[in-house]
Amino acid sequence: PPPSSTAVYIRRLRQMCIRDRYCGQQFEIDVDCSAGGQQYVEDCPVCCQPAELTTQVDLYGNLLSVSAIRGND
């Protein structure tokens, strides 16, 4: 049988580990590859400082890159 829409959606979520530019701690983020490339702000769960994240996804929904800069840079 074909996969359910839930199974397809779960496969497009990717967990990535990034390092916070303020406190240096690593934390995980979920990247939704089905939405294409995105830009958004994620707060560090340790120090609560913002990081501006940019994701790049190809036409097939494969994650190409994730970059993070400090929210006030």
Side-chain angles (χ1 to χ4, degrees):
S4 69
S5 61
T6 302
V8 171
Y9 179 73
I10 289 172
R11 283 198 301 257
R12 293 198 177 183
L13 281 178
R14 300 287 185 260
Q15 282 193 330
M16 299 295 299
C17 193
I18 62 171
R19 183 173 302 278
D20 183 67
R21 302 274 181 148
Y22 290 95
C23 68
Q25 293 294 313
Q26 286 188 344
F27 63 96
E28 288 184 351
I29 59 169
D30 289 324
V31 178
D32 182 0
C33 295
S34 68
Q38 302 175 52
Q39 289 184 311
Y40 60 98
V41 175
E42 182 89 24
D43 291 337
C44 173
V46 176
C47 70
C48 300
Q49 294 296 320
E52 292 181 20
L53 303 175
T54 302
T55 63
Q56 292 183 329
V57 177
D58 70 13
L59 295 174
Y60 302 103
N62 299 309
L63 183 62
L64 300 174
S65 69
V66 176
S67 63
I69 61 170
R70 287 170 49 157
N72 61 359
D73 285 349

